[in-house]
Amino acid sequence: MHEDERPADRGIHPAYESTGKSNAEFHRTLLRVTAYPLLLLATFLVAAGALVLRWEPGRVSPLFLMGTLLYLTVLERLIPYERDWHPSRAEWRWYGVYFLLTMAGSALAQLLVTTAVGRIAPADPALPLGAEIPAALLSGSLAGYLVHRLGHSQPLLWRLHGVHHVPSKVNVANNGVNHVLDIVLAQGVVQLVLAWAGFSREAVLAAGLFTAAQGYFVHANIDVRIGPLNHLLASPEQHRLHHSTDLSEAGHYGSDLSCWDHLFGSFTWRPGRAPAAVGLSDPTSFPGTGEIAASLVHPVRRAKRPGNRTA
């Protein structure tokens, strides 16, 4: 064979190139179908392990959260919904600071709430654990829905929660862009409600793991569609609309279950519907995401104008 006839010099045959593209698309399609079930399975296995092996909730929750964050970050690169929503280097730095602040505030709230739950929650709950966990999930989801909706409808609470809506992208990293007090309030209310309702620490932990997984999943910039399950469970399809600058479609206050949005008339998702833009319709009403110190003191400053997402 002459040197100029070697296969390496003749390029890739169109058939092989087509096969390569087909295989890549097959793998992306497989990821789109399996990504969410795998997350739910992991949540179930971690919750089951924590309950059976009596793992310490204060250790399980942060480790599970980090695993979920890593998993979804990888998926954002493999099956992105919107490539322009990938964080820039500067945004990664800002999001990292917010994440650390949120984790610190969350840890403090978790410590206080866990102590309270340990004292308030009954030693012998009335329901068996198999019935208690779904009941805790429904109760916690309702409390979270109401706190979230109040965060949009009450101007004072919006000055806390609005920090989360400043970014003009929706991705798993900027799920951590929150005011610390907003996180403390939301987590504290939900878990204390569960404790006062009589749910055990085990049920609170299991429900909390699912809620944490869902909270990061709905923010993920991934091309995943769950079809009719959107009427039962929250998804990125819905939550992108929640961040829409068009308030007529920005419902979906439930980040875990969809039943409360149906019940209270805030369910606006339709198959294939996408927001024209996300973020604040008046970006000047809040400091920019990179202005971290200004964002933290924003709630105590005198308002120049009312929050633009309050209903």
Side-chain angles (χ1 to χ4, degrees):
M1 179 181 291
H2 293 293
E3 192 172 325
D4 59 347
E5 293 179 348
R6 287 178 302 181
D9 294 335
R10 293 200 296 267
I12 300 175
H13 192 282
Y16 289 108
E17 185 177 10
S18 176
T19 301
K21 290 181 179 179
S22 298
N23 288 338
E25 184 56 37
F26 170 77
H27 291 145
R28 284 192 291 268
T29 301
L30 184 63
L31 273 178
R32 293 186 188 106
V33 172
T34 60
Y36 187 43
L38 286 175
L39 178 61
L40 293 178
L41 177 61
T43 304
F44 172 80
L45 292 176
V46 171
L51 297 178
V52 173
L53 301 176
R54 299 186 178 277
W55 293 337
E56 177 59 37
R59 295 182 180 180
V60 174
S61 296
L63 290 175
F64 175 74
L65 185 63
M66 293 302 297
T68 300
L69 182 58
L70 178 61
Y71 172 65
L72 293 173
T73 299
V74 171
L75 287 178
E76 285 190 333
R77 292 294 171 176
L78 297 176
I79 49 171
Y81 170 77
E82 179 60 69
R83 293 186 182 277
D84 290 342
W85 285 359
H86 288 322
S88 65
R89 289 185 179 181
E91 287 170 334
W92 270 117
R93 291 194 294 269
W94 302 337
Y95 298 163
V97 173
Y98 271 109
F99 181 77
L100 292 176
L101 288 172
T102 298
M103 289 296 288
S106 178
L108 176 60
Q110 188 73 29
L111 177 63
L112 297 174
V113 170
T114 299
T115 301
V117 169
R119 297 189 178 190
I120 298 171
D124 299 310
L127 296 173
L129 191 60
E132 191 184 14
I133 291 176
L137 177 59
L138 283 171
S139 301
S141 177
L142 175 59
Y145 173 92
L146 294 175
V147 170
H148 190 185
R149 188 157 187 172
L150 285 173
H152 281 264
S153 60
Q154 298 301 315
L156 180 60
L157 295 179
W158 169 248
R159 288 174 68 78
L160 291 174
H161 183 64
V163 171
H164 178 65
H165 284 267
V166 171
S168 57
K169 306 174 180 180
V170 181
N171 53 54
V172 70
N174 67 28
N175 180 45
V177 177
N178 299 288
H179 197 285
V180 175
L181 295 181
D182 190 38
I183 291 297
V184 171
L185 176 66
Q187 291 190 359
V189 167
V190 171
Q191 294 195 47
L192 287 174
V193 164
L194 292 175
W196 279 110
F199 294 110
S200 66
R201 291 184 63 185
E202 291 79 8
V204 172
L205 171 63
L209 291 176
F210 174 76
T211 300
Q214 280 290 112
Y216 277 90
F217 170 66
V218 299
H219 284 88
N221 177 29
I222 55 178
D223 187 15
V224 168
R225 299 174 179 85
I226 65 174
L229 278 178
N230 276 286
H231 294 283
L232 175 64
L233 299 168
S235 78
E237 298 170 79
Q238 298 173 24
H239 206 73
R240 285 190 284 266
L241 292 174
H242 174 71
H243 282 259
S244 175
T245 56
D246 180 359
L247 301 188
S248 66
E249 64 183 7
H252 307 293
Y253 301 104
S255 296
D256 40 33
L257 303 178
S258 300
C259 56
W260 309 119
D261 284 297
H262 274 297
L263 183 62
F264 296 112
S266 52
F267 188 89
T268 62
W269 172 79
R270 297 294 181 272
R273 188 169 182 169
V278 298
L280 297 172
S281 55
D282 179 10
T284 64
S285 60
F286 277 83
T289 304
E291 303 174 68
I292 298 174
S295 296
L296 293 177
V297 301
H298 177 74
V300 298
R301 287 181 173 177
R302 185 174 181 179
K304 294 181 180 179
R305 55 180 62 83
N308 69 320
R309 291 188 57 103
T310 54

